[in-house]
Amino acid sequence: MSDGTARGGTARGGAARGGTARGGAAPVRAMSRPVLVGGAVAGCAAGAALLTPQAFGTWQTVAVSLCLQAVPFLLLGTLLSAAVAVFLPPSFFRRALPRRPALAVPAAGASGLLLPGCECASVPVASALIRQGVPQSAAFTFLLAAPAVNPVVLVSTAVAFPDTPEMVAARLLASLGAAILMGWLWLFRGRERWLTARPAPSCAAAAGGGAAVRLEAFRQAFLHDFLHAGGYLVAGAMAAATFQVAVDRAVLDTVSASVWAAVLLLAGLAILLSVCSEADAFVAASMTAFPATAQLAFMVVGPMVDVKLIALQSGTFGRSFAVRFGAATAVVAVGWASAVGWWLL
Amino acid sequence: MRATTRTLLLLLAGSALLHTTVLTDLYLRYVKPGLQPLLVASAVLLLAAGTLSAVRDGFPFLSRGAGRPGPADGRAPAVALLLFVPVLLLLFAPPAPLGVYSATRAAPQEVPDQSPSAFLPLPEADPLPLSLTQFTARVTRDSTGAVAGRNVRLHGFTVPGDDGADYLARHVVTCCAADARTLRVVLHGARGLVPGRWVEVEGRWRPEGVPGTSSAGVGLDVSRVRTVPAPAQPYLDVPPAGR
């Protein structure tokens, strides 16, 4: 009896799976993602609420701070992204970037030097670049490089480490190098099918329209991108706030292990705490018990991979991309930062 | 999310930003003061987008045909509903600034970033007002030991330590409250302090360890404690104003 039911169940499961292989895949994913995000958020909130009222209060302050700090940059990024999508002809980037993607990657990395943006702004812009036909590898290099090596970040690093000016050079080299390596890695190993999120509606339709059509398309694209990314930002901020409340930083100063352990510890901390890239140099400098290479790893990993960014990226590019790309970026960034730190610091 | 709900969210978000930056100083609990112009610009943009949406897509419950399924364009993804959480918190239950809880859990003593050569002779004032950053730097970085024996006045909030000692603490923020670092000074011989209360403390550095090195204990032999109102900028570590 159990045999029959089991086989029936398997057969049904198999049929269902077969059925979803093409047409049904998108609805299933569309269903599961909000459920997953909602579950994570509920988990974070419940975990924080179980703590003392003081801890819950701190959780709220940190979560609201992260959102408030990010909102202007997210608005800027989504405005830029919508403008790029609706008003710039695709040929613009084809002419501006080197034709071969392998060369476009370092060019995109270098362009990150010029744009003072926060990581929250670079995610929607990178997504718009891809929609406009920029090679994915170049867009992802820009995504990683722009928040990590822009002038504001480099200056704040110099201010935070007044006694070790070589830290600025090390940060620039390590961040730019890791971003370019990731671009090349995507070029040779990346798979388009990992990018699952759908583009914002109506941009393509507006391409040939008049001014009124384009303006309306711009409004819709901007609102869609901002609200979508904003929702993921809140989820990411809540997760980061949970880790901030959970991690007792007093423990960190008692850890006096090997350099490798220190590097991995601070890299992991950078991922969990999600400190904004303009401020992370000050946080790194305050962790005086750690070797300089570990502080460098904290500053290189943080702007490229953290809880808040993974949430934003899974909203914009899809979960299967965000997980793979985040893991690979963390490994490349830690390895490259260690090499640069060993050489320069 | 319906297009009309989207209108409501945009208008509420814009109002929340305006409320925290222009009508009150609440934003100083969460982010650096320099972000104010950007937040005001964001508020204006969101209110403009919300007004345009109200005209084009309608307003919940008020607009005729508000419930009708509009074009797919006007619908925002469901995840955007999460934005209501910080928006409503800011409008109706703004979280308190960081305080005792995060101060007790921060790393014990973080030396501020200051070049050892940057120390000028101390002014002659008695008591000498110092920020916690200045006091900590004088104790742990200034090898001339100029602060030894001086009667100083510090401003911060009180924190009970795990070891039974009392501390005077301040949070310092670079960008937003998520990157806060904590400065703490041990208060020796202070009695009956209420945790989290803002105070001005007078006293002399308790000689412990070698001044100008990390062995020097950042502590004060307290002679006087006065309760003061909480400052408008909780994360701005400045010397107490003279009386």
Side-chain angles (χ1 to χ4, degrees):
Chain A
M1 154 191 99
S2 59
D3 204 8
T5 14
R7 210 179 302 132
T10 320
R12 228 176 299 131
R17 231 173 288 136
T20 53
R22 279 231 166 256
V28 167
R29 205 173 281 129
M31 278 290 286
S32 68
R33 199 180 300 144
V35 170
L36 236 139
V37 172
V41 168
C44 288
L50 280 179
L51 299 167
T52 59
Q54 277 195 331
F56 189 45
T58 305
W59 182 83
Q60 290 178 31
T61 308
V62 172
V64 166
S65 301
L66 280 167
C67 295
L68 203 59
Q69 191 273 328
V71 157
F73 299 99
L74 196 62
L75 277 172
L76 188 70
T78 44
L79 279 177
L80 259 179
S81 133
V84 164
V86 175
F87 297 113
L88 274 189
S91 58
F92 175 82
F93 289 105
R94 247 177 275 140
R95 267 182 273 131
L97 277 173
R99 187 146 307 169
R100 290 182 51 192
L103 295 179
V105 164
S111 71
L113 274 170
L114 304 174
L115 294 177
C118 154
E119 49 262 49
C120 309
S122 67
V123 173
V125 170
S127 152
L129 290 179
I130 291 175
R131 274 187 241 142
Q132 289 305 99
V134 169
Q136 287 160 2
S137 49
F140 291 142
T141 298
F142 174 81
L143 166 78
L144 296 177
V149 298
N150 71 57
V152 179
V153 169
L154 293 179
V155 167
S156 72
T157 309
V159 173
F161 291 92
D163 300 336
T164 43
E166 59 270 24
M167 190 59 105
V168 180
R171 178 170 199 175
L172 175 63
L173 264 182
S175 298
L176 203 55
I180 292 173
L181 281 177
M182 276 309 294
W184 283 335
L185 185 65
W186 180 266
L187 199 56
F188 296 115
R189 283 274 174 272
R191 295 283 174 274
E192 191 133 358
R193 65 186 148 84
W194 294 336
L195 294 167
T196 51
R198 286 141 304 185
S202 77
C203 296
V213 177
R214 283 185 174 223
L215 276 177
E216 177 62 12
F218 172 75
R219 184 177 79 96
Q220 295 292 0
F222 159 64
L223 288 181
H224 177 277
D225 281 3
F226 172 68
L227 294 174
H228 192 212
Y232 279 93
L233 169 75
V234 175
M238 286 177 172
T242 304
F243 289 119
Q244 288 234 353
V245 174
V247 175
D248 195 335
R249 281 196 225 178
V251 176
L252 289 178
D253 278 8
T254 63
V255 177
S256 56
S258 66
V259 175
W260 282 110
V263 165
L264 290 179
L265 188 67
L266 284 203
L269 201 65
I271 294 172
L272 296 184
L273 295 186
S274 310
V275 174
C276 133
S277 64
E278 279 176 39
D280 60 358
F282 295 94
V283 178
S286 77
M287 293 191 269
T288 46
F290 286 86
T293 304
Q295 294 175 325
L296 178 67
F298 181 86
M299 295 188 294
V300 173
V301 171
M304 296 190 175
V305 206
D306 64 38
V307 175
K308 189 178 70 176
L309 267 177
I310 291 172
L312 269 178
Q313 287 177 3
S314 34
T316 310
F317 300 112
R319 193 159 17 103
S320 60
F321 167 83
V323 169
R324 287 181 175 87
F325 192 72
T329 308
V331 171
V332 167
V334 169
W336 187 244
S338 309
V340 171
W342 174 74
W343 177 47
L344 276 181
L345 298 175
Chain B
M1 185 196 257
R2 287 191 174 143
T4 49
T5 316
R6 191 176 73 172
T7 306
L8 182 70
L9 175 57
L10 290 170
L11 289 174
L12 279 180
S15 318
L17 287 185
L18 217 53
H19 171 67
T20 46
T21 52
V22 178
L23 304 178
T24 63
D25 276 341
L26 283 173
Y27 74 103
L28 292 171
R29 295 178 177 186
Y30 314 115
V31 296
K32 62 178 175 187
L35 210 61
Q36 193 192 22
L38 288 181
L39 287 172
V40 174
S42 306
V44 171
L45 182 65
L46 286 171
L47 286 175
T51 312
L52 192 61
S53 291
V55 172
R56 295 219 146 191
D57 310 326
F59 201 79
F61 314 118
L62 298 179
S63 306
R64 201 170 284 249
R68 100 195 115 105
D73 271 2
R75 302 180 72 83
V79 70
L81 289 170
L82 279 178
L83 279 167
F84 276 111
V85 177
V87 165
L88 293 178
L89 272 180
L90 279 178
L91 274 177
F92 300 110
L98 295 179
V100 173
Y101 179 79
S102 23
T104 47
R105 295 163 53 85
Q109 206 49 257
E110 289 171 354
V111 181
D113 326 292
Q114 190 161 341
S115 168
S117 59
F119 293 104
L120 300 169
L122 285 169
E124 284 306 313
D126 182 48
L128 174 69
L130 289 177
S131 71
L132 293 202
T133 307
Q134 289 167 343
F135 182 73
T136 311
R138 285 287 176 178
V139 170
T140 60
R141 291 286 193 106
D142 181 4
S143 48
T144 63
V147 80
R150 294 293 303 269
N151 186 30
V152 300
R153 191 198 299 154
L154 308 176
H155 184 200
F157 57 90
T158 53
V159 174
D162 308 330
D163 41 4
D166 283 305
Y167 293 89
L168 188 71
R170 280 204 96 132
H171 293 296
V172 182
V173 156
T174 309
C175 215
C176 79
D179 62 58
R181 288 157 291 129
T182 309
L183 293 157
R184 297 200 306 194
V185 174
V186 189
L187 299 178
H188 298 283
R191 297 264 169 274
L193 296 175
V194 183
R197 175 90 36 102
W198 282 84
V199 291
E200 273 183 19
V201 175
E202 276 179 40
R204 290 171 204 277
W205 175 59
R206 169 173 282 200
E208 277 176 352
V210 183
T213 68
S214 54
S215 75
V218 187
L220 207 64
D221 277 320
V222 177
S223 55
R224 206 164 169 193
V225 179
R226 195 171 72 99
T227 305
V228 293
Q233 295 199 28
Y235 309 129
L236 184 70
D237 182 32
V238 288
R243 266 177 291 157

